[in-house]
Amino acid sequence: MAFSGLLRPAVLAASRSPRIERTITRMPVTKKVVDRFVAGETEDAAVSTTSALLRSGRLVTIDYLGEDTTDLDRAQGTVAHYLRLLSALSKGRAEDDQPVRPLEVSLKLSALGQSLPRNGYAIAREHAHQICTAARDAGIWVTIDAEDHTTTDSTLAIVRELRLDFPWLGTVLQAYLKRTEEDCRMFAGTGSRIRLCKGAYREPAKVAYQSRAAVDESYARCLRVLMEGKGYPMVATHDPALIDEALRYVHETGRSSGDFEFQMLHGIRDAEQRRLVAAGHALRVYVPYGDQWYGYFMRRLAERPANIAFFLRSFGRNR
């Protein structure tokens, strides 16, 4: 626990360091480890990974990696990537009238221009609207990802506006933020889709719980709010205790397998993913792709000491 407590802040700080990024991305061993968590750099690689997961009975959400964009051309390039991805995903698919969509894409608004110094809010909203329109036409869901706490108000405001045209639009709430329990109450209404995760950014104690126990307790409280609400909870965790807690809430609230889903990351706890599917539960895998993988990769290392150990073992074998 002490090892994890010391390393996590250091790894999260490194995720924002251009100097450390240059060092780590140039290490030959890094790509071998990244391949565990990231499904390649191209749309074709993402579609191939997605097809294999769908054949295994799992659902999929795909994220084109990138964030903190302060260049309009780059934000527009991200939109173009998503439109190509949606076109590729829709090819050869039969009409799907299932209430739960097997395919989804996840968007980070900062990658769509939210952080642009002028009109970032409006630009990100318009870019997200373009992607949601294409997704609707392809029969694919969209969920807006959460980022650090400074973007939360802007992100949720854009989500509220987009849901006027796309009522199925999902969003992410992070249990380590002290505001999240109230946000869950506000977003637990009919038709809402909320992905509840613990949170993966380095946040100050003023706004976020710092200990693992406090975060877990907040997650359980938030999850109960969502399960007792009228929306569609998306339980994003690899934690066995919280998975058991979720199943207990499902039983208590009378939800069926089509009223909620579990979510896990590509490359993490594959056997548990398969076990949950075999038990009749909906489980969606978060599949990232693209060449802007550094920040995502470092946050995955920070989440669990086992991930850091995996990286260090791989480094040692390849020296």
Side-chain angles (χ1 to χ4, degrees):
M1 180 67 75
F3 178 76
S4 174
L6 290 172
L7 272 183
R8 187 174 189 275
V11 175
L12 289 176
S15 73
R16 298 281 188 171
S17 168
R19 180 179 62 83
I20 296 176
E21 178 179 1
R22 287 192 296 271
T23 299
I24 288 181
T25 55
R26 290 172 181 171
M27 293 166 59
V29 66
T30 301
K31 186 179 186 306
K32 297 179 181 179
V33 182
V34 170
D35 286 345
R36 172 181 174 179
F37 303 110
V38 177
E41 297 188 353
T42 66
E43 285 84 11
D44 286 347
V47 171
S48 176
T49 297
T50 295
S51 297
L53 288 167
L54 292 175
R55 288 195 297 271
S56 74
R58 285 171 277 190
L59 314 174
V60 178
T61 186
I62 308 175
D63 174 27
Y64 175 65
L65 292 169
E67 53 194 90
D68 296 333
T69 297
T70 56
D71 179 85
L72 180 58
D73 288 342
R74 187 169 171 182
Q76 292 170 337
T78 296
V79 176
H81 267 285
Y82 272 105
L83 297 181
R84 289 196 299 271
L85 174 65
L86 288 165
S87 176
L89 291 171
S90 67
K91 288 178 180 176
R93 292 186 68 233
E95 287 296 319
D96 188 352
D97 60 356
Q98 299 178 60
V100 175
R101 298 290 182 177
L103 289 176
E104 177 192 79
V105 295
S106 290
L107 312 178
K108 283 185 171 59
L109 291 180
S110 75
L112 302 183
Q114 186 182 29
S115 302
L116 290 171
R118 295 184 61 185
N119 302 319
Y121 181 99
I123 290 168
R125 179 187 59 199
E126 175 56 30
H127 284 163
H129 197 284
Q130 292 178 40
I131 295 169
C132 286
T133 299
R136 178 185 60 196
D137 294 343
I140 294 171
W141 271 346
V142 177
T143 286
I144 304 296
D145 271 332
E147 301 181 65
D148 72 75
H149 80 279
T150 64
T151 68
T152 302
D153 284 332
S154 172
T155 295
L156 294 183
I158 289 174
V159 167
R160 288 188 187 95
E161 293 187 47
L162 290 172
R163 290 195 77 235
L164 297 175
D165 291 330
F166 312 102
W168 40 263
L169 179 68
T171 194
V172 178
L173 296 176
Q174 302 178 101
Y176 68 175
L177 295 181
K178 295 177 180 178
R179 61 175 289 169
T180 296
E181 188 173 353
E182 183 58 31
D183 286 335
C184 285
R185 291 191 177 93
M186 293 178 64
F187 279 86
T190 302
S192 70
R193 292 195 307 115
I194 298 298
R195 177 192 300 158
L196 181 65
C197 66
K198 288 187 179 182
Y201 293 82
R202 188 181 185 186
E203 301 284 18
K206 181 178 179 180
V207 301
Y209 300 109
Q210 300 297 303
S211 74
R212 175 177 176 178
V215 173
D216 288 354
E217 289 167 4
S218 175
Y219 193 104
R221 291 194 304 270
C222 293
L223 184 57
R224 176 175 285 280
V225 171
L226 295 177
M227 288 289 183
E228 291 177 348
K230 298 181 179 179
Y232 180 81
M234 300 183 287
V235 186
T237 183
H238 306 95
D239 188 326
L242 291 176
I243 291 171
D244 289 344
E245 190 86 340
L247 293 173
R248 184 167 68 83
Y249 291 158
V250 166
H251 177 73
E252 290 177 0
T253 58
R255 286 182 177 269
S256 69
S257 59
D259 294 332
F260 79 103
E261 65 184 47
F262 288 107
Q263 295 192 354
M264 293 188 181
L265 298 171
H266 174 59
I268 298 181
R269 300 203 71 195
D270 184 75
E272 176 65 1
Q273 293 179 22
R274 294 175 182 274
R275 185 191 72 80
L276 288 169
V277 171
H281 300 297
L283 182 135
R284 192 177 303 272
V285 181
Y286 187 98
V287 176
Y289 82 100
D291 57 8
Q292 300 298 309
W293 48 260
Y294 175 74
Y296 175 86
F297 170 66
M298 294 299 284
R299 290 193 293 274
R300 299 295 75 78
L301 291 185
E303 283 174 345
R304 298 174 65 224
N307 291 340
I308 298 175
F310 177 77
F311 178 74
L312 293 176
R313 284 197 304 271
S314 298
F315 177 72
R317 285 196 297 265
N318 287 270
R319 290 189 65 179

